[in-house]
Amino acid sequence: MVRQVPRNIDRPNRNAEYAATFMFGWYGTMFMTGKPLLAIVVTFMAFYITYKLTLNKPEGAMYRVVYRRFGLGKMIPPAKKVKKFEI
């Protein structure tokens, strides 16, 4: 017998991006304001923005957008902010 291949085998897995979105949205808002209702609204808005920005794109697209805009702290700045490319 041959096992059938599921139809969504090539669908990108967004679980890591949604987990990061939830953590930054919920805990970031709760840390800054301490208001759970505002935090849940911000989290759902962040989910919606993540969904819209990553629709029909490969896995990790949201991380690329965040890196391009904000960078990874001061240690690894985005290419837009680096004046000269150095290896």
Side-chain angles (χ1 to χ4, degrees):
M1 242 194 222
V2 178
R3 185 174 152 264
Q4 288 185 349
V5 176
R7 291 177 179 231
N8 62 353
I9 195 166
D10 290 332
R11 190 180 73 186
N13 185 359
R14 303 251 183 253
N15 290 340
E17 294 175 11
Y18 287 133
T21 301
F22 172 77
M23 295 241 221
F24 286 120
W26 177 262
Y27 292 113
T29 306
M30 284 297 289
F31 177 73
M32 288 189 294
T33 64
K35 298 181 180 177
L37 185 61
L38 179 64
I40 202 156
V41 169
V42 167
T43 302
F44 281 122
M45 292 292 290
F47 278 149
Y48 180 74
I49 291 169
T50 301
Y51 174 77
K52 282 298 189 182
L53 287 177
T54 61
L55 195 62
N56 297 324
K57 292 196 170 79
E59 291 180 15
M62 191 63 184
Y63 295 125
R64 290 185 194 105
V65 169
V66 170
Y67 173 71
R68 213 176 295 137
R69 298 279 183 219
F70 304 109
L72 299 173
K74 294 184 179 181
M75 291 182 61
I76 306 174
K80 186 184 253 185
K81 294 182 180 177
V82 176
K83 294 179 180 161
K84 180 180 170 185
F85 181 72
E86 296 177 5
I87 296 180

